Amino acid sequence: MTSRTTPRPAARTPRFRPHPAQVVAAAFATTILIGTGLLMLPIATPGVGGASFLDAIFTATSAVCVTGLIVVDTATRWSAFGQVVILLLIQIGGLGIMTFASVIGLAVMRKLSLRSRITAAAEAKSVGLDDVKGLVFGVVRMTLVIEASVALLLGLRFLIGYGEPLGRAVWLGAFHAVSSFNNAGFALFSDNLISYATDPFICLPIAAAVILGGLGFPVIVQLRRHLRMPRKWNMNTRLVLAGTLILLVGGTVYITAVEWSNPATLGPLDWPNKLLVGFFQSVQARTAGFNSVDTGAMDSASLLGTDILMLIGGGPAGTAGGIKITTFGVLFFILLAEVRGDTAVNVFGKRLSRAVHRQAITIVLLAVAVVTASTAALMVMTDISMDKLLFEVISAFGTVGLSTGITAGLPEAGKVILMLLMFIGRLGPITFASALALRDRPTAYELPKERPIIG
């Protein structure tokens, strides 16, 4: 009698499930490529022929990463179609690719898959999955309300104050409202906003939109709910608000003082307009990139101060770039605790998690490494002074968009470096590094402790 054995089922090959950071990075890269293709169409540029691949991909990268660095004049190089494409790329990039995809999914399917919720939460820096749907709708609603309000103010000013035709005034208001709230810095004027440097009805609404966008969506949501109850603000909101106020005031005082007598910037202006321009430039250094004076004519000390503001950036989980105010604030309190000899780091009456210490230090070290390596590479390629190259590198990494005017003249390899910096800066150093990792590496053991001599 023969026995019949049942064959074992073949082992299934485990499905590759990309890390959420890899999904976010791929989504941004795909959007940039689509934008590049649209900008290369003949209809995207006036006259005969389309844009070159390098000009198109640099502009698309700058728009999706809400930076504002340009290699061609936005006002003259791109047609109405090309400018609309840039505007859409700014809006999608500012909202976040996965947030935008979630909106489409909710509109079509009326629900979000678990994977979609995880990737949207990873992009939005959300701490939980239950609130992702509400977060997505809240972000979109808030964005549209702020942009519409700023667009109305700007449109009326262009219409009444400068006699622009109604259609042109509406377009100018809408474009600059979207560009400012998303901290993009693209402008539809060849001199950016230098012609409107002393017009508070143009500069102040744009500055307000930049500040709101730079706070980050979680802060705006909490302020909307508990504006008159500061005791309910969490540590993130307190750090962002305190840091924003200190950096705005400090930046305004510093830039205004250094440039006060500079004949190429603030020198010819009376003192109220000097304060307006100094404040506007301090706001833009927070990752927006509009300029109301010639940045290339600013004193080297102003460029260095602006470097610091650009590197710190704005609030997390918003449209701002840089290492973020919260990261800088955490490092400050770590330093303060170490100097005092405290055993724990306390921030606004709460103890800081040790995991946050490691994250903050990691972000800063990665940022310093990326900025240093990129600046050194550009110094090898060009004869441009280090202060201007460093300014351009930090502006790209911080997704700011301020420029001393050297971007268009960089060699092709230099422009590629700036594109990579914009991409890394928009994703965030840790997210970018996580996207490069092949897999998570959980550790099942701990090694014995030992302390080297520090300092």
Side-chain angles (χ1 to χ4, degrees):
M1 183 176 179
T2 60
S3 61
R4 183 177 297 176
T5 57
T6 305
R8 293 182 178 181
R12 292 184 179 181
T13 303
R15 288 179 58 189
F16 171 71
R17 293 187 179 276
H19 190 281
Q22 295 172 330
V23 177
V24 173
F28 270 88
T30 302
T31 305
I32 289 171
L33 291 177
I34 293 173
T36 301
L38 292 174
L39 290 176
M40 290 182 68
L41 295 175
I43 193 176
T45 53
V48 180
S52 68
F53 174 75
L54 184 59
D55 288 349
I57 193 171
F58 191 98
T59 303
T61 302
S62 185
V64 172
C65 298
V66 290
T67 304
L69 284 177
I70 57 174
V71 289
V72 294
D73 182 13
T74 307
T76 59
R77 179 53 176 157
W78 304 110
S79 65
F81 175 83
Q83 292 172 2
V84 169
V85 170
I86 292 172
L87 183 69
L88 292 175
L89 294 176
I90 291 172
Q91 186 69 282
I92 294 172
L95 281 173
I97 308 300
M98 300 315 302
T99 301
F100 180 77
S102 298
V103 172
I104 302 300
L106 286 170
V108 177
M109 305 294 293
R110 301 295 180 185
K111 63 179 181 179
L112 280 177
S113 67
L114 177 61
R115 199 71 187 169
S116 298
R117 288 160 60 197
I118 291 174
T119 51
E123 181 185 61
K125 308 295 189 294
S126 176
V127 295
L129 298 180
D130 295 336
D131 62 339
V132 169
K133 183 177 179 179
L135 174 67
V136 166
F137 277 122
V139 166
V140 174
R141 192 163 48 240
M142 188 188 316
T143 298
L144 295 179
V145 168
I146 294 174
E147 289 176 350
S149 302
V150 175
L152 178 62
L153 293 174
L154 294 177
L156 288 174
R157 182 58 178 168
F158 284 120
L159 178 67
I160 299 172
Y162 296 95
E164 294 283 359
L166 179 60
R168 171 72 174 168
V170 170
W171 172 238
L172 289 174
F175 187 96
H176 292 94
V178 173
S179 183
S180 57
F181 179 70
N182 289 287
N183 281 216
F186 279 88
L188 294 180
F189 306 104
S190 296
D191 63 353
N192 206 277
L193 295 179
I194 294 178
S195 299
Y196 305 95
T198 58
D199 187 345
F201 297 101
I202 295 293
C203 292
L204 292 182
I206 287 177
V210 170
I211 293 171
L212 288 174
L215 290 178
F217 296 116
V219 174
I220 299 177
V221 169
Q222 189 160 77
L223 289 178
R224 188 182 64 182
R225 294 175 181 173
H226 307 296
L227 180 60
R228 298 182 180 179
M229 294 181 285
R231 67 181 183 278
K232 292 189 175 182
W233 297 351
N234 60 25
M235 186 188 295
N236 181 77
T237 297
R238 293 170 187 267
L239 278 173
V240 171
L241 291 179
T244 298
L245 180 61
I246 292 171
L247 293 174
L248 284 179
V249 174
T252 300
V253 172
Y254 181 81
I255 293 173
T256 304
V258 174
E259 297 295 323
W260 188 271
S261 302
N262 187 341
T265 55
L266 303 188
L269 305 176
D270 56 19
W271 72 265
N273 284 323
K274 287 181 180 181
L275 292 177
L276 174 62
V277 174
F279 169 73
F280 189 78
Q281 288 303 121
S282 177
V283 171
Q284 303 316 308
R286 309 299 314 294
T287 83
F290 291 105
N291 62 287
S292 58
V293 294
D294 181 4
T295 307
M298 293 175 70
D299 190 272
S300 296
S302 295
L303 295 181
L304 180 59
T306 306
D307 284 341
I308 296 172
L309 293 174
M310 292 191 299
L311 186 62
I312 295 173
T319 59
I323 63 172
K324 304 296 187 296
I325 293 175
T326 46
T327 304
F328 182 77
V330 164
L331 289 180
F332 171 78
F333 281 104
I334 291 174
L335 173 65
L336 194 62
E338 193 65 29
V339 171
R340 289 176 173 177
D342 296 336
T343 56
V345 180
N346 300 315
V347 181
F348 299 124
K350 297 289 182 66
R351 184 167 57 86
L352 197 66
S353 168
R354 291 192 178 274
V356 178
H357 301 195
R358 296 195 302 270
Q359 289 177 340
I361 293 171
T362 300
I363 288 174
V364 171
L365 290 178
L366 286 173
V368 170
V370 169
V371 168
T372 302
S374 301
T375 304
L378 291 177
M379 289 178 68
V380 172
M381 297 177 191
T382 69
D383 296 326
I384 302 172
S385 62
M386 187 185 73
D387 59 342
K388 290 188 175 182
L389 290 176
L390 178 64
F391 188 93
E392 220 78 5
V393 165
I394 294 178
S395 180
F397 175 77
T399 67
V400 181
L402 289 173
S403 174
T404 57
I406 66 173
T407 303
L410 292 175
E412 292 186 358
K415 293 175 183 176
V416 171
I417 289 175
L418 293 186
M419 283 191 288
L420 289 173
L421 286 169
M422 290 187 283
F423 190 77
I424 295 171
R426 182 65 184 96
L427 290 180
I430 286 183
T431 302
F432 183 77
S434 299
L436 294 179
L438 296 177
R439 59 184 176 87
D440 293 331
R441 297 178 181 272
T443 303
Y445 58 89
E446 290 186 358
L447 296 174
K449 292 182 179 179
E450 187 173 350
R451 293 185 61 177
I453 301 173
I454 301 296

